[in-house]
């Protein structure tokens, strides 16, 4: 089955949840190890060799991150991850320009940390437009055009969606923002290292990056902040003035080195990874859909990153399917915590039926996913969907030609 033991004899499920996090690439670990042991200097210590060697390593990492996105290394600021970068970009720009500009535009399908940053700005008196998305998960550029106001300071639209994998028309959005002289931020956590990104070509002014989504370490990320035309931010964190004063605190050299190495490896492997992941994704979707009727793929079929596949299996409870597939690590499209049985807001935004939203599963295919793992997942998935449907009275009624929408259910 391709499952890995943990040394304790117990089998761990095979891993198909790369949108949540990725394993560390061994090449990345190799680059980090010396900075966890022998080279432990503070990169901001200017008076001795321990500081200099750490500083040199940190600056090399900054260049590696910049090279991946076509930026200048002076435009890269190390953070603790994309959540912090998103907070910095959105709150930082809004607060810096607040005397003249009070309006921000984003979308309804952004990551929680973007939506929550916007909500917190609303309590400070900012106005936020949350653009809806079309059925395919993409924004309508005409609606974006219409949303601009004279006091709009920032547009924030993610590149690749973490739940349904759709890829927004970033370059077009960048053009529109540049015409309106409004800063453009994109949360690219699920995109960099996986699809080509170029901040100049795409006219991106701010970009959020995460280490652990690209086979780097957890706890580190970066924010790209354009120098020309210059973007100004109010820092969230005050202190010793590191990272151009935008993010005080000692930069964690081993983590920064890991992020840099992950970016360099991603740049080298991007084309190969993309081709391989596309083939595996195609194999997964085709096999499942040829064996099981009433499966819906969520999000646009064309404009997407292939490694993130979100499928709804009608007449099957997603949670039951996840439980049945316990030897594969997957997640439900609805981040159903036991506390809230609300289906995912991303699926709701693309107009998915409540029932279908509850029957969604996200499959993540990454750099280290094997063909055997995909085959195993597909086979198990088909087997359990069929089994769960056979137990479902709804499925039975549908087979008998009853339109479920026409039924008047009585409340007991």
């Amino acid at each position: 089955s391709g499952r890995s033991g943990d040394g304790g004899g117990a089998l761990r499920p095979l891993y198909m949840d790369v949108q949540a996090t990725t394993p560390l690439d061994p090449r990345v670990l190799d680059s980090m190890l010396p900075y966890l042991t022998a080279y432990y200097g503070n990169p901001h210590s200017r008076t001795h060799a321990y500081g200099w060697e750490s500083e040199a390593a940190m600056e090399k990492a900054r260049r590696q991150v910049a090279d991946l996105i076509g930026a200048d290394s002076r435009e890269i600021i190390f953070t603790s991850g994309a959540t912090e970068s998103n907070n910095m970009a959105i709150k930082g720009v809004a607060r810096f320009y607040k005397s003249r500009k009070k309006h921000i535009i984003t979308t309804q399908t952004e990551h929680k940390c973007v939506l929550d940053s916007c909500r917190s700005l609303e309590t400070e008196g900012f106005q936020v437009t949350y653009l809806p998305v079309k059925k395919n998960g993409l924004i309508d550029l005409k609606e974006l055009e219409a949303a601009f106001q004279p006091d709009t300071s920032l547009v924030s639209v993610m590149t690749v969606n973490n739940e349904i994998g759709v890829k927004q028309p970033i370059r077009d959005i960048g053009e529109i923002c540049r015409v309106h002289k409004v800063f453009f931020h994109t949360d690219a956590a699920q995109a960099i290292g996986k699809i080509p990104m170029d901040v100049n070509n795409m006219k991106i002014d701010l970009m959020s990056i995460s280490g652990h989504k690209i086979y780097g370490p957890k706890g580190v990320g970066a924010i790209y902040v354009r120098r020309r035309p210059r973007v100004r931010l109010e820092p969230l964190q005050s202190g010793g003035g590191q990272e151009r004063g935008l993010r005080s605190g000692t930069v964690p050299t081993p983590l920064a080195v890991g992020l840099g190495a992950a970016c360099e490896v991603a740049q080298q492997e991007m084309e190969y990874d993309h081709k391989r992941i596309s083939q595996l994704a195609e194999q997964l979707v085709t096999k499942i859909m040829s064996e099981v009727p009433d499966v819906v793929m969520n999000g646009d079929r064309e404009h997407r990153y292939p490694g993130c596949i979100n499928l709804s299996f009608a007449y099957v409870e997603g949670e039951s399917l996840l439980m049945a597939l316990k030897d594969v690590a997957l997640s439900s499209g609805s981040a159903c915590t036991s506390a809230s049985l609300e289906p995912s807001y991303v699926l709701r935004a693309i107009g998915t039926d409540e029932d279908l939203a509850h029957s969604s599963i996200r499959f993540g295919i990454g750099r280290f996913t094997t063909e055997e793992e995909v085959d195993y997942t597909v086979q198990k998935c088909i087997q359990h969907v069929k089994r769960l449907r056979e137990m479902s009275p709804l499925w039975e009624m549908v087979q008998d030609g009853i339109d479920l929408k026409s039924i008047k259910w009585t409340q007991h």
Side-chain angles (χ1 to χ4, degrees), residues 159-330:
T159 306
V160 168
N161 185 276
N162 53 308
E163 281 192 39
I164 56 176
V166 298
K167 187 166 97 220
Q168 298 292 351
I170 294 300
R171 192 177 172 175
D172 299 339
I173 298 169
E175 295 280 356
I176 293 168
C177 291
R178 193 59 62 86
V179 168
H180 287 269
K181 294 191 166 51
V182 168
F183 292 129
F184 174 37
H185 165 252
T186 187
D187 170 2
Q190 297 283 352
I192 68 142
K194 297 179 173 74
I195 58 173
M197 297 289 293
D198 184 298
V199 291
N200 294 315
N201 168 14
M202 295 172 157
K203 300 194 166 38
I204 295 166
D205 299 305
L206 301 116
M207 180 196 279
S208 302
I209 292 168
S210 169
H212 75 109
K213 306 292 188 193
I214 56 168
Y215 312 93
K218 293 167 181 61
V220 68
I223 181 173
Y224 156 79
V225 182
R226 181 175 288 285
R227 284 168 65 96
R228 276 195 276 280
R230 187 168 178 208
V231 184
R232 308 288 303 274
L233 311 177
E234 189 176 291
L236 298 180
Q237 194 156 296
S238 321
Q242 293 92 341
E243 298 300 278
R244 300 194 352 233
L246 291 176
R247 209 280 187 182
S248 287
T250 301
V251 172
T253 314
L255 295 181
V257 165
L259 176 63
C263 286
E264 184 166 303
V265 170
Q267 198 168 1
Q268 292 159 0
E269 308 279 348
M270 193 184 306
E271 215 172 308
Y272 174 81
D273 280 349
H274 195 277
K275 204 165 126 188
R276 209 178 136 268
I277 288 168
S278 302
Q279 286 165 347
L280 290 176
E282 184 59 33
Q283 179 184 327
L284 181 129
V285 175
T286 310
K287 281 191 179 159
I288 289 177
M289 288 193 164
S290 64
E291 291 281 329
V292 183
D294 296 314
V295 179
V296 178
M297 184 169 177
N298 296 305
D300 196 274
R301 293 297 290 256
E302 294 304 302
H303 303 278
R304 65 179 310 105
Y305 168 65
C308 179
I309 302 152
N310 191 306
L311 300 178
S312 294
F313 299 90
Y315 320 112
V316 173
E317 191 66 58
E319 294 298 315
S320 337
L321 185 51
L322 280 183
M323 301 292 272
L325 292 167
K326 59 182 176 297
D327 45 3
V328 183
L330 294 159

Side-chain angles (χ1 to χ4, degrees), residues 11-42:
L11 280 179
R12 295 168 71 205
L14 62 87
Y15 192 71
M16 297 285 280
D17 199 17
V18 293
Q19 276 69 46
T21 194
T22 55
L24 198 61
D25 190 296
R27 292 164 285 192
V28 171
L29 180 61
D30 288 344
S31 71
M32 291 169 66
L33 281 171
Y35 297 94
L36 287 161
T37 52
Y39 301 99
Y40 50 79
N42 182 324

